[in-house]
Amino acid sequence: MNELSYWLLRCENSLITLVGTAGGEIFPHGLAADLGKPGQALLVGQWQGVPCYAAETDRLPETIPCELTPLRRIFNLAGAEAFALAGRAMQLLDWQRNHRYCGCCSIATERKPEEFAMVCPGCGLHYYPRLSPAVMVLVIRDNQLLLARSPHFVPGIYSALAGFVEAGETLEQCAAREVREEVGVEITNLRYFHSQSWPFPNSLMLAFFADYAGGTLRLDPTEIEAADWFPLDALPQLPGQLSIARRLIDEGCRMIRLEPRA
């Protein structure tokens, strides 16, 4: 790593960013020695055509004016590409930190150089970065959207329904189960929209549209604080552009306006 590189350095669960970022310059740039020679650095991709490494550190660089920035703020500071790279770095750092020892025989693991895998030299077990698939569903009934809020949401925010895929379950089964469990209604005509890597901490969000097929709203109070059918001219406060949820809802609105339902 004796080359000029960009660095995604995690300190106190935030990323170190340059003070007064402008023109896409958000991550520190320099030699490893300029950044305190961080150990166990991972090559996580490129930023502006230059190699980008991720590593843990316990202090800010002394030679570069920097500050700590929460991962979510990267999107507003530098856009979707920077957020995606930062999210990848955070997930890989979690993987490296959480698999220092084998969960089967407790021996210290070793990094496999040609891929992202931590390997136990004792039993040979491989540990790859964890990925947790989750399904998000926007349910449509006539010209209305079914939106809900979790007790964990920012006050006032409503979004599409979502939940993690369980072992032995297809995406389609997960979508139907989550909607049924959370709000008590049935769905049909499931259509894929898009996916998004969601590094809080290691999710892959798979977003779908679905049509209402029956049932009345019956909320699971442990998961859902409030839910309702909203017409397009009376939508509640929605998530920001960071999450795929907003793009899913915006596209649902566009579809209804283009093809009004009876």
Side-chain angles (χ1 to χ4, degrees):
M1 290 179 289
N2 296 320
E3 59 181 341
L4 290 172
S5 306
Y6 282 104
W7 290 86
L8 282 158
L9 299 174
R10 180 165 66 179
C11 180
E12 299 177 5
N13 209 36
S14 292
L15 288 169
I16 294 176
T17 59
L18 299 177
V19 173
T21 59
E25 290 293 333
I26 182 172
F27 306 124
H29 180 252
L31 299 173
D34 300 328
L35 282 302
K37 296 183 178 179
Q40 297 184 306
L42 299 169
L43 179 62
V44 296
Q46 290 194 337
W47 178 247
Q48 299 182 347
V50 177
C52 188
Y53 289 89
E56 304 271 11
T57 184
D58 59 0
R59 62 179 63 89
L60 293 173
E62 297 180 356
T63 59
I64 303 174
C66 295
E67 60 188 351
L68 295 180
T69 300
L71 176 58
R72 289 177 184 269
R73 284 200 61 222
I74 300 295
F75 180 85
N76 292 329
L77 288 173
E81 185 178 352
F83 172 74
L85 182 62
R88 171 177 168 82
M90 294 286 262
Q91 292 180 77
L92 289 173
L93 289 174
D94 284 343
W95 156 75
Q96 182 171 252
R97 180 180 61 190
N98 295 340
H99 295 292
R100 292 175 294 174
Y101 297 92
C102 178
C104 181
C105 62
S106 302
I107 294 177
T109 58
E110 299 173 352
R111 171 76 194 280
K112 193 172 183 179
E114 65 271 20
E115 61 179 329
F116 288 115
M118 302 295 285
V119 183
C120 175
C123 67
L125 195 60
H126 284 52
Y127 295 91
Y128 295 95
R130 176 181 173 182
L131 192 63
S132 301
V135 167
M136 177 176 290
V137 187
L138 180 64
V139 185
I140 301 173
R141 184 184 71 178
D142 299 327
N143 297 319
Q144 298 176 315
L145 304 179
L146 176 55
L147 301 174
R149 59 170 284 102
S150 161
H152 308 295
F153 285 4
V154 173
I157 296 289
Y158 280 71
S159 187
L161 299 167
F164 287 103
V165 181
E166 295 184 352
E169 193 173 48
T170 67
L171 298 180
E172 294 81 3
Q173 290 169 337
C174 175
R177 175 185 56 77
E178 282 292 340
V179 174
R180 184 185 308 115
E181 290 179 353
E182 292 191 349
V183 295
V185 304
E186 301 296 328
I187 59 173
T188 188
N189 192 23
L190 194 69
R191 291 99 69 199
Y192 175 73
F193 174 57
H194 282 299
S195 64
Q196 179 186 29
S197 175
W198 190 243
F200 301 106
N202 47 39
S203 302
L204 175 64
M205 305 300 299
L206 301 120
F208 293 84
F209 300 107
D211 292 334
Y212 168 75
T216 58
L217 291 179
R218 185 182 67 257
L219 311 188
D220 176 356
T222 63
E223 297 283 345
I224 302 298
E225 183 176 84
D228 208 345
W229 295 99
F230 292 92
L232 302 194
D233 59 357
L235 293 177
Q237 189 176 353
L238 301 175
Q241 296 294 336
L242 173 63
S243 167
I244 195 173
R246 181 56 181 269
R247 287 184 281 133
L248 179 68
I249 295 169
D250 287 347
E251 179 63 15
C253 292
R254 188 190 72 84
M255 290 165 47
I256 291 174
R257 291 190 179 103
L258 287 176
E259 300 180 11
R261 301 176 178 219

